[in-house]
Amino acid sequence: MKYKLAFLSFLLSLLGFSQSETTGKINTVIMEKYELGYVLHKPANTKEKKPLIVFISGDGEKGTDLEKVKIHGPLKYLKTHQLDTYVLAPQCKEDENWDIESIYQLIVKIQKENKIDSERIYVTGLSSGGWASWNLAFAHPDLFAANVPVAGFVDLIQLEKTCEIANIPTRIFHGLLDDVVNVNYAITIYKELKKCDAKDVKLIIFDDAGHDSWTKVYDNQEIYDWMLQQRKTNTNK
């Protein structure tokens, strides 16, 4: 009997029924739809080129109610003060995280549709928006004239690229008592920037502030005066 089975197996192999395997590669592109709501504040005079402040809010402002992005930051400040600048505030949906490239595409759209001074585009954000502020600077270091992350954190893998953003004037704000995002994130990236001989970077730690260090920052005219004084050099208009 075993001889018959062996002979049958031999015949099947001759007929092409023997098992085999192959290897290969396939390149795929997965497209993901990402929707951003946003508020754009425009200055009184839009006939001349004006600077643009990109403000990225935190997790507490996620959702579809755009009034939330006015709770903190520049848009809150504009309720009682004036700034001669565009202010763009995107909003992240409740069940999503910030998508850096989507924010960049939004900035490009706003540039095309308005008279934006390309030498005076600034990015700032609080908490998870501070993370996005850092990551936008890393992804597009030639775009921004200044970066102001507040109570944000930096991915460890990004620390390896710190020198790529050393030329961007940067103000880092954090609360010493922050129990949500450890102040060591701010200290670490500051030290890395100094190793890269960053010419204009400062770390400001508020001794009496917790996670909400942004109220001290954004309710103060000083940070807007500083940002609006910054200008990129050697850029192609």
Side-chain angles (χ1 to χ4, degrees):
M1 181 66 179
K2 65 181 180 181
Y3 295 110
K4 290 183 178 179
L5 290 173
F7 181 69
L8 179 60
S9 178
F10 173 71
L11 286 177
L12 289 173
S13 68
L14 290 177
L15 292 172
F17 289 101
S18 60
Q19 297 186 51
S20 65
E21 64 180 33
T22 61
T23 60
K25 292 181 180 179
I26 181 173
N27 292 320
T28 63
V29 178
I30 300 174
M31 302 299 291
E32 193 171 327
K33 183 179 179 181
Y34 195 91
E35 184 178 84
L36 278 180
Y38 66 89
V39 172
L40 177 65
H41 165 84
K42 297 184 178 183
N45 179 5
T46 58
K47 294 181 179 180
E48 300 176 0
K49 285 188 175 182
K50 294 294 175 69
L52 169 66
I53 297 174
V54 181
F55 167 66
I56 310 173
S57 52
D59 285 356
E61 292 73 62
K62 284 183 176 181
T64 54
D65 179 4
L66 287 170
E67 290 299 310
K68 285 185 174 182
V69 300
K70 303 177 185 178
I71 295 175
H72 306 295
L75 291 179
K76 174 192 174 186
Y77 185 79
L78 281 164
K79 291 177 182 179
T80 53
H81 299 79
Q82 290 187 349
L83 293 172
D84 191 24
T85 177
Y86 289 88
V87 177
L88 172 64
Q91 184 180 42
C92 187
K93 284 190 173 181
E94 191 72 44
D95 57 346
E96 296 177 350
N97 295 313
W98 287 115
D99 182 82
I100 300 305
E101 201 56 25
S102 293
I103 302 175
Y104 171 70
Q105 292 299 329
L106 175 59
I107 296 171
V108 171
K109 166 185 163 65
I110 297 303
Q111 279 187 277
K112 289 180 178 178
E113 296 175 354
N114 301 274
K115 288 189 175 182
I116 305 295
D117 185 345
S118 62
E119 294 185 357
R120 301 174 71 198
I121 299 177
Y122 317 105
V123 62
T124 182
L126 64 89
S127 194
S128 64
W131 170 87
S133 178
W134 281 118
N135 278 272
L136 270 167
F138 279 118
H140 303 280
D142 296 329
L143 179 62
F144 301 107
N147 180 22
V148 183
V150 184
F153 58 97
V154 183
D155 296 324
L156 290 177
I157 193 169
Q158 298 289 34
L159 289 176
E160 300 174 3
K161 304 192 301 179
T162 300
C163 293
E164 295 180 12
I165 62 169
N167 290 329
I168 302 176
T170 302
R171 294 293 180 270
I172 308 166
F173 294 91
H174 218 104
L176 183 64
L177 308 178
D178 194 333
D179 59 355
V180 178
V181 178
N182 196 293
V183 69
N184 286 329
Y185 280 104
I187 295 170
T188 299
I189 185 65
Y190 171 74
K191 288 181 176 179
E192 291 299 314
L193 282 167
K194 295 303 286 184
K195 288 178 186 177
C196 299
D197 296 324
K199 294 179 176 59
D200 190 3
V201 56
K202 288 186 179 180
L203 170 62
I204 299 92
I205 298 176
F206 300 115
D207 292 342
D208 58 345
H211 191 46
D212 179 6
S213 53
W214 50 81
T215 298
K216 290 176 177 290
V217 178
Y218 293 121
D219 286 5
N220 192 327
Q221 177 70 32
E222 185 177 348
I223 192 58
Y224 305 108
D225 288 344
W226 177 80
M227 273 195 284
L228 295 173
Q229 288 170 6
Q230 308 311 307
R231 183 182 295 273
K232 285 194 305 177
T233 57
N234 299 322
T235 56
N236 295 320
K237 295 183 180 180

